[in-house]
Amino acid sequence: MKSYNEQLTALRASGNLRHLPEVEHQGIWILKEGMRMLNLSSNDYLGLASRQDLQEEFQASTQDRFYPYSSSSSRLLTGNFSVYTKLEKQIARSFDREAALIFNSGYHANTGILPALTDKQTLLLADKLVHASIIDGILLSGSPFLRYRHNDYDQLERLVQKNACQYETIIILTESIFSMDGDVADLNRLIAIKRQYPNILLYVDEAHAIGARGKTGLGIAEEQGCIQEIDLLVGTFGKALASMGAYLVCSHTIREYLVNTMRPLIFSTALPPFQIAWTSFIWEQLPSFTKERENLLAYSRLLAEALTSKGGEISQSHIIPFIVGESEDCVRKAEELQRKGFYCLPVRPPTVPKGTSRIRFSLTANLTIKNMHQLIVETGRTSSPTGTRPVSTRCSYDFFWRRDDAGNMRSFRLHCRAHTPRIETKNRGKINSENKQSLHKA
């Protein structure tokens, strides 16, 4: 019989043993074991989850309606409340697509869609760094699959050329923003490959992009102008949208087929109608969160540049890796930053390849410039036999913009020194570094 204790001991010895943390939330802060720390590990990218004004507005809007706290059934039995249909129509209308379908989670979506749509005559071509839920969906499907090197579209094209005539269907699978490195897929390049063959479908997971990217918050597909070209467009509600669940944007035919064949959908109790109503409320306001997206973009660029050569150069988003290397070293660095008031967590194998353990900074729009400068100073320190010391003397950043009290845009340039962060403006006006309510790249 397998010895679970031995395996736990081995995980502990390698620095890869995980625990469920006991934490409390206070806005952008985490309380853990008597310490108050800045939350840098949240997926609440727009900072909506703690917005009391939104919660009060939603509650006021539901006073004359009753939304049960449980659906008490799968959607195919008695759990298909009208609010589900409303939300699916909202989503399809936003993307200007035929149909949408809601799922209980992103994991449900990725582990259910692929087994339902594929068979032995379907070849799955997945980016090497797709999320574990996509990998699980691939394995559950039982379909043949190949994984191409991360964002290596030349290799992908060779694999397509070699296999296009041997399979009835090929599905290319990618994330738009990759969950560990924070880099972004070139969706138009993938579409160009797809267009060369009549039997290719493109599957894109926008879990980390929906809400946070695009002019109206519809993700990288909106940003790159290719929403209509993606056959299977997946996203989640549990990150930037401050809710739970997931969706697929697709054709009417695909939607109807999944309703009849997708096991996680058929055999799961549906999400609570009250939860779906909240998601619908947030979705309706998605285009209005421009200020939050601008803040998030500005903070992301600040930290990514400060972490250049340590992983920051990889990121093109609000997910920024601080690559440490070995698991034990990464755990120690995370613990050090926690002692200094930053709640960040180590990411270790098997989530990332061996030797690339990292601290994954996940930024949110409700942070402040002061928060970012403090973090940049502390990540610029490295352990030494005599304690900690700064390893960089200065980081300079591009021009950004903010609105003044009159609503006019003013440009300024941010600088950071290891011990004395400061801000210089082009117009030499005073800027309160804790009140940058609207920032975006010039």
Side-chain angles (χ1 to χ4, degrees):
M1 181 179 294
K2 181 186 295 185
S3 173
Y4 298 109
N5 280 327
E6 287 181 7
Q7 295 194 30
L8 289 171
T9 300
L11 287 172
R12 187 178 293 107
S14 66
N16 290 321
L17 186 67
R18 292 165 169 79
H19 303 277
L20 295 174
E22 297 285 343
V23 299
E24 295 181 23
H25 293 256
Q26 290 184 353
I28 61 173
W29 304 97
I30 285 283
L31 300 182
K32 181 187 177 188
E33 298 174 353
M35 293 190 294
R36 184 173 181 262
M37 296 171 281
L38 188 68
N39 188 355
L40 298 169
S41 297
S42 173
N43 291 331
D44 181 25
Y45 300 133
L46 298 182
L48 306 182
S50 59
R51 286 270 299 270
Q52 189 173 351
D53 60 323
L54 291 174
Q55 294 174 24
E56 291 174 350
E57 185 180 346
F58 169 66
Q59 289 168 3
S61 71
T62 61
Q63 285 183 349
D64 298 330
R65 306 171 193 172
F66 174 68
Y67 292 112
Y69 289 101
S70 173
S71 64
S72 303
S73 176
S74 72
R75 291 184 67 186
L76 282 169
L77 296 178
T78 63
N80 192 39
F81 292 75
S82 60
V83 69
Y84 292 90
T85 304
K86 175 188 174 184
L87 177 57
E88 287 173 343
K89 288 182 177 179
Q90 273 181 286
I91 294 170
R93 184 169 61 249
S94 294
F95 285 101
D96 193 24
R97 294 287 296 272
E98 288 185 10
L101 187 58
I102 296 170
F103 311 108
N104 284 13
S105 70
Y107 191 86
H108 258 186
N110 286 332
T111 58
I113 294 169
L114 292 174
L117 294 182
T118 63
D119 56 26
K120 296 296 184 182
Q121 283 302 308
T122 305
L123 175 65
L124 302 175
L125 297 177
D127 188 287
K128 186 74 173 178
L129 296 187
V130 292
H131 190 262
S133 60
I134 296 178
I135 294 171
D136 287 353
I138 291 171
L139 296 175
L140 285 169
S141 75
S143 299
F145 68 92
L146 296 168
R147 296 170 70 183
Y148 60 92
R149 287 186 295 271
H150 179 50
N151 282 347
D152 186 340
Y153 304 121
D154 291 334
Q155 187 198 25
L156 172 62
E157 193 157 14
R158 289 193 296 272
L159 290 173
V160 170
Q161 291 170 351
K162 181 178 178 180
N163 292 282
C165 295
Q166 300 180 37
Y167 292 92
E168 183 178 318
T169 305
I170 292 178
I171 301 179
I172 297 172
L173 301 127
T174 187
E175 295 180 60
S176 60
I177 294 178
F178 287 87
S179 58
M180 286 297 114
D181 286 348
D183 54 344
V184 174
D186 184 347
L187 300 183
N188 282 300
R189 178 71 189 277
L190 292 171
I191 289 165
I193 295 172
K194 187 192 85 157
R195 284 175 174 167
Q196 297 177 43
Y197 302 88
N199 60 332
I200 294 183
L201 300 176
L202 178 58
Y203 184 117
V204 177
D205 187 339
E206 291 256 51
H208 297 279
I210 185 65
R213 297 290 284 264
K215 183 178 180 180
T216 65
L218 294 182
I220 297 297
E222 179 185 33
E223 194 174 280
Q224 297 185 7
C226 57
I227 288 173
Q228 304 305 319
E229 302 287 343
I230 300 170
D231 304 283
L232 303 161
L233 185 59
V234 175
T236 59
F237 305 132
K239 296 179 171 62
L241 274 68
S243 188
M244 65 181 295
Y247 65 86
L248 168 68
V249 174
C250 58
S251 67
H252 283 303
T253 300
I254 292 292
R255 183 186 187 279
E256 185 176 2
Y257 187 82
L258 290 174
V259 167
N260 283 273
T261 59
M262 183 175 160
R263 294 176 69 83
L265 176 69
I266 295 169
F267 297 110
S268 291
T269 297
L271 288 171
F274 190 83
Q275 186 75 50
I276 297 294
W278 164 254
T279 305
S280 175
F281 169 80
I282 292 294
W283 189 276
E284 196 67 32
Q285 300 189 60
L286 201 55
S288 70
F289 296 129
T290 302
K291 178 184 71 175
E292 287 80 2
R293 286 186 282 273
E294 291 173 352
N295 284 357
L296 187 61
L297 176 61
Y299 299 154
S300 303
R301 285 174 169 163
L302 280 172
L303 184 58
E305 185 169 341
L307 291 178
T308 297
S309 80
K310 300 178 184 179
E313 72 280 2
I314 300 171
S315 175
Q316 298 168 282
S317 70
H318 43 278
I319 298 169
I320 302 169
F322 177 19
I323 297 176
V324 178
E326 297 305 318
S327 292
E328 291 182 354
D329 294 336
C330 188
V331 170
R332 282 194 291 269
K333 185 62 180 178
E335 290 173 346
E336 175 188 332
L337 286 170
Q338 287 181 24
R339 287 193 297 271
K340 293 177 179 179
F342 301 98
Y343 188 69
C344 50
L345 301 173
V347 180
R348 297 158 284 175
T351 306
V352 294
K354 188 176 180 180
T356 69
S357 292
R358 83 252 340 246
I359 294 168
R360 176 183 178 270
F361 292 118
S362 184
L363 304 184
T364 58
N366 52 350
L367 298 170
T368 67
I369 288 291
K370 182 178 180 180
N371 296 149
M372 298 310 301
H373 280 317
Q374 291 170 335
L375 176 61
I376 287 168
V377 168
E378 292 302 334
T379 54
R381 299 176 188 271
T382 183
S383 298
S384 69
T386 58
T388 60
R389 60 183 174 84
V391 295
S392 61
T393 58
R394 177 173 176 152
C395 302
S396 62
Y397 308 105
D398 294 332
F399 284 107
F400 291 82
W401 296 85
R402 73 178 285 272
R403 297 185 190 278
D404 60 21
D405 294 337
N408 299 314
M409 298 302 294
R410 297 168 59 195
S411 61
F412 62 93
R413 187 178 182 90
L414 293 172
H415 293 282
C416 171
R417 294 183 185 273
H419 293 286
T420 56
R422 64 191 176 92
I423 297 176
E424 295 177 357
T425 65
K426 287 183 73 179
N427 53 20
R428 298 181 182 178
K430 293 182 179 179
I431 297 179
N432 181 343
S433 64
E434 292 192 63
N435 193 30
K436 304 293 183 299
Q437 295 300 314
S438 184
L439 299 172
H440 67 81
K441 181 74 174 176

